[in-house]
Amino acid sequence: MSGRWVIHLPIVAPDLLRARIFARTAARVLVRLSARVEPGGVTVSAEDQQGVRHWVFCDRPLPGGARCPLPVDHLAPCARHPLRPDRR
């Protein structure tokens, strides 16, 4: 055994889109609380098909060793920080 444990936290959402949004939000909050959170590994699944996982974050490697924190289906180029809407 590796000596690491993984927490699985079931949270109910009405559809895949909202499950991914909630999972991204939860991961970003938890990252602020602990450096041990690995947001790139976050997945969601249907309650009755938990073996079929859907990725939440892109997680592609970036220059310098960082990973892309954008949603898995983003259209913009990968970036080091999540895109934020214009604050007018």
Side-chain angles (χ1 to χ4, degrees), residues 47-72:
E47 184 175 23
D48 58 349
Q49 294 182 329
Q50 294 184 29
V52 180
R53 303 284 179 112
H54 301 272
W55 292 103
V56 172
F57 292 99
C58 170
D59 203 41
R60 286 188 187 110
L62 297 170
R67 311 232 14 131
C68 179
L70 299 178
V72 70

Side-chain angles (χ1 to χ4, degrees), residues 1-86:
M1 186 162 25
S2 72
R4 291 175 20 139
W5 292 84
V6 177
I7 298 170
H8 303 274
L9 178 64
I11 298 173
V12 178
D15 56 49
L16 178 58
L17 174 64
R18 285 183 266 195
R20 282 181 168 160
I21 290 169
F22 191 88
R24 277 195 302 273
T25 303
R28 288 179 180 146
V29 169
L30 291 171
V31 162
R32 293 173 186 244
L33 298 175
S34 174
R36 295 182 178 178
V37 174
E38 297 179 16
V42 175
T43 59
V44 296
S45 66
E47 184 175 23
D48 58 349
Q49 294 182 329
Q50 294 184 29
V52 180
R53 303 284 179 112
H54 301 272
W55 292 103
V56 172
F57 292 99
C58 170
D59 203 41
R60 286 188 187 110
L62 297 170
R67 311 232 14 131
C68 179
L70 299 178
V72 70
D73 52 0
H74 69 88
L75 299 176
C78 290
R80 289 191 176 279
H81 302 286
L83 298 176
R84 300 180 201 278
D86 278 343

